[in-house]
Amino acid sequence: MSALMRGGLPLFSFKGIKVFLHWTFALLPAYIAIMGVSDGGSWHDILTEIGYVLIVFACVVLHEFGHALTAQRFGVRTRDITILPIGGVASLERMPEDPKQEFWITVAGPMVNLVIAGIAFIALATSGVDLLTTDLLNDLEGWTGLLTFLLAANLSLFLFNLIPAFPMDGGRILRSALGMWLPREKATRIATSIGRVLALCFVVYGLYSGAFTLAIIGVFIFMAAGSEARMVQQKANVLALRVGQCVRRDLIRMAPSATVQDAWNAMTLVDHHVVVVVDQGLYRGLVLKEDLRAALAQGSATAPIAHLTQHVPSVEPEQPAMVAYQRMVHEGHGAMVSTDQIHGLGVVLRLDLEKALGAIGPTAPAPR
Ligand SMILES: [Zn+2]
């Protein structure tokens, strides 16, 4: 979904962040024009209405820059900002896992709208408009009308975004607040459940009242909440993975006197990556596939595997797979042994850990 929601007509770029107008955005002025013409409205009114909508979206762009520029301060790049007819999407490279950083990045968006509303309010108040007695939305024209519109639009954007429908801003603020006390995974689960209920309310209310944009936003929130929850869950599963779950026990065992060619043949026959060297029942070390391949390339096919035997470190089955993997990368091991009382000798391959841990991908964009 996120890929579909990105890109379009490039508008401008600020601080290295490109702003795109999604092609579906064209539907919005088209819809306003069609509705205006069918209602018998004048072109002046239609163009004024389109102008007001564009002002709202300019505020949405500023809102997204609030997120993006705050993220930049925490060292998180924003790939781009895309403007859709239902709002803006700042595609952050990742959302920081530190709840405090997520909190500030998220809060910055609505705060931009609050600041614009505040400026409009002050400008109105100092221009001599009596804010208490004037029917603001109907009585005012020209500059004061525009300021009133800015005030109303930005207050609406501020309040709407604070609805805790994860992954909308309010939902993210909720998750980051929960995340200060709970594990991220649990905080996400709670925020997602609330978000989905609210998203359904948006859809039902939107269809019932004819506010179709709200219904569409509800559908997007519902889907986005699901995909974000899955991602966090997947990551939590990966982090919970233990070495014992990645151990290989169907091992090829050979004597140190076996030749490189024999070991290679045995290994390729069953698609293994390691040979356990055993001398009179005692474990001596491992021979790795890449070492055999190198020895064959050097013409040492008849040499015994004894000289290729490595004494790799051993690792507890209870250790987190992530920790073991980082150690392998750091110390340059292709495999480690892991022995437990019940199963005896096992081997953990870096290759296997890489595959199992690979589920941790970059985080999805942060919509709205
Ligand atoms: Zn936002």
Side-chain angles (χ1 to χ4, degrees), residues 258-339:
T259 66
V260 167
Q261 188 66 57
D262 287 345
W264 178 261
N265 292 347
M267 199 180 267
T268 46
L269 192 67
V270 284
D271 194 26
H272 276 208
H273 294 268
V274 66
V275 163
V276 179
V277 181
V278 182
D279 193 8
Q280 291 168 353
L282 286 177
Y283 163 75
R284 293 290 177 205
L286 302 179
V287 177
L288 302 183
K289 194 173 190 174
E290 56 260 35
D291 294 336
L292 287 176
R293 187 185 285 123
L296 283 175
Q298 285 164 16
S300 316
T302 53
I305 56 172
H307 74 287
L308 293 177
T309 304
Q310 289 187 24
H311 298 280
V312 296
S314 84
V315 58
E316 292 295 316
E318 283 313 305
Q319 269 233 346
M322 183 57 100
V323 174
Y325 174 70
Q326 279 162 351
R327 182 175 170 196
M328 281 176 167
V329 172
H330 190 241
E331 297 176 5
H333 301 297
M336 291 206 280
V337 289
S338 183
T339 310

Side-chain angles (χ1 to χ4, degrees), residues 128-319:
V129 177
D130 185 350
L131 293 166
L132 289 177
T133 55
T134 317
D135 180 356
L136 289 171
L137 284 177
N138 292 320
D139 290 358
L140 300 172
E141 282 185 348
W143 278 109
T144 46
L146 184 65
L147 285 172
T148 313
F149 179 76
L150 272 178
L151 173 60
N154 280 283
L155 270 185
S156 310
L157 283 172
F158 173 73
L159 292 173
F160 182 70
N161 277 290
L162 287 185
I163 298 173
F166 186 83
M168 266 174 61
D169 292 344
R172 283 192 186 280
I173 293 168
L174 175 68
R175 176 182 63 182
S176 59
L178 291 171
M180 294 182 198
W181 313 102
L182 300 171
R184 184 173 160 88
E185 175 205 349
K186 195 163 185 190
T188 306
R189 221 171 18 232
I190 296 171
T192 310
S193 304
I194 297 173
R196 286 183 148 174
V197 171
L198 286 170
L200 281 179
C201 293
F202 285 1
V203 174
V204 171
Y205 179 78
L207 291 177
Y208 175 75
S209 67
F212 295 117
T213 313
L214 188 66
I216 294 169
I217 290 174
V219 171
F220 274 109
I221 290 171
F222 194 90
M223 285 169 15
S227 75
E228 183 128 356
R230 265 194 303 282
M231 214 161 53
V232 172
Q233 184 61 49
Q234 205 173 37
K235 187 155 185 179
N237 292 346
V238 161
L239 290 175
L241 198 69
R242 304 283 141 178
V243 166
Q245 292 166 269
C246 306
V247 162
R248 291 191 179 213
R249 301 194 187 280
D250 52 336
L251 302 167
I252 305 170
R253 291 158 205 263
M254 296 188 113
S257 56
T259 66
V260 167
Q261 188 66 57
D262 287 345
W264 178 261
N265 292 347
M267 199 180 267
T268 46
L269 192 67
V270 284
D271 194 26
H272 276 208
H273 294 268
V274 66
V275 163
V276 179
V277 181
V278 182
D279 193 8
Q280 291 168 353
L282 286 177
Y283 163 75
R284 293 290 177 205
L286 302 179
V287 177
L288 302 183
K289 194 173 190 174
E290 56 260 35
D291 294 336
L292 287 176
R293 187 185 285 123
L296 283 175
Q298 285 164 16
S300 316
T302 53
I305 56 172
H307 74 287
L308 293 177
T309 304
Q310 289 187 24
H311 298 280
V312 296
S314 84
V315 58
E316 292 295 316
E318 283 313 305
Q319 269 233 346

Side-chain angles (χ1 to χ4, degrees), residues 52-91:
Y52 275 113
V53 167
L54 293 181
I55 289 170
V56 171
F57 276 90
C59 296
V60 168
V61 172
L62 292 173
H63 169 115
E64 297 306 330
F65 268 105
H67 293 309
L69 296 179
T70 314
Q72 216 167 53
R73 294 193 63 146
F74 293 119
V76 177
R77 258 175 18 96
T78 299
R79 285 182 289 240
D80 51 58
I81 290 172
T82 302
I83 305 304
L84 296 149
I86 56 166
V89 180
S91 300

